[in-house]
């Protein structure tokens, strides 16, 4: 379909970040210049090299510029990765983690009230492929459900 015209930051610390960046750009789920990355995130910057994404000086700056923030981290690191967001987001936050412990309650304890939260859990199927399950908080606006799923699902294909 047509690219979703929404501004998206991709931040975090784990191996999924560069893969997610590449998958979203390869499948043209959003226009490349609607993607915001931290210039400090070398793996993500490398994955997006030459694609025309927007580089910001920090994760917090990428977050401020975007409507949807995708945060990829292990359960252990997720609290740390949510810290730059905790004060400055008014948008939609999608956590991407391979632990079901990172659920809506986990995220709500760490971010400011009023944030729309989607918790995506990545699973490895019996065939070795990845798939995602989603917990979507009641407050998330309906038109954002599909773009968020499309972006995380791109990682799994």
């Amino acid at each position: 379909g047509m690219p979703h015209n929404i501004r998206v930051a991709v931040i975090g610390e784990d191996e999924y970040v560069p893969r997610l960046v590449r998958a979203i750009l390869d499948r043209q789920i959003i226009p490349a210049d609607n993607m915001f990355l931290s210039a400090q995130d070398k793996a993500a910057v490398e994955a997006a090299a030459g694609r025309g994404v927007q580089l910001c000086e920090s994760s917090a700056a990428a977050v401020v510029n975007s409507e949807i923030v995708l945060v990829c981290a292990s359960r252990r690191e997720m609290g740390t990765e949510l810290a730059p967001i905790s004060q400055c987001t008014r948008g939609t936050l999608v956590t991407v983690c391979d632990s079901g412990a990172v659920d809506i309650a986990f995220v709500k304890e760490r971010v400011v009230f009023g944030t729309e939260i989607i918790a995506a859990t990545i699973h490895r199927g019996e065939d070795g492929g990845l798939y995602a399950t989603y917990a979507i908080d009641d407050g998330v606006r309906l038109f954002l459900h599909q773009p968020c799923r499309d972006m995380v699902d791109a990682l799994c294909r």
Side-chain angles (χ1 to χ4, degrees):
M2 292 285 290
H4 298 290
N5 196 21
I6 40 178
R7 297 187 313 279
V8 178
V10 187
I11 67 172
E13 56 83 47
D14 80 1
E15 66 199 288
Y16 290 141
V17 176
R19 289 173 59 186
L20 190 56
V21 165
R22 209 173 286 119
I24 290 168
L25 294 171
D26 285 350
R27 296 203 163 75
Q28 301 180 329
I29 294 166
I30 59 170
D33 63 358
N34 280 23
M35 182 181 283
F36 296 83
L37 303 176
S38 166
Q40 294 167 16
D41 188 343
K42 297 288 180 273
V45 170
E46 223 166 89
R51 308 288 282 274
V53 306
Q54 314 262 2
L55 298 185
C56 304
E57 75 265 15
S58 65
S59 294
V63 169
V64 168
N65 279 299
S66 64
E67 298 164 276
I68 294 175
V69 183
L70 295 170
V71 186
C72 306
S74 62
R75 185 191 181 292
R76 199 179 65 244
E77 296 292 334
M78 187 62 81
T80 309
E81 295 302 326
L82 289 174
I85 298 169
S86 59
Q87 293 316 310
C88 60
T89 184
R90 335 145 286 312
T92 303
L93 172 61
V94 183
T95 55
V96 181
C97 186
D98 54 15
S99 166
V102 176
D103 58 8
I104 288 169
F106 176 102
V107 179
K108 277 191 170 163
E109 282 170 20
R110 291 163 175 82
V111 299
V112 76
F113 180 76
T115 305
E116 300 176 23
I117 300 164
I118 297 178
T121 305
I122 305 294
H123 310 268
R124 195 168 288 285
E126 285 175 13
D127 61 353
L130 301 177
Y131 66 96
T133 55
Y134 298 89
I136 301 180
D137 197 38
D138 297 339
V140 181
R141 289 162 291 167
L142 266 172
F143 75 94
L144 293 172
H145 291 202
Q146 200 57 51
C148 291
R149 286 175 187 265
D150 288 349
M151 288 187 286
V152 179
D153 285 345
L155 172 71
C156 298
R157 291 207 183 98

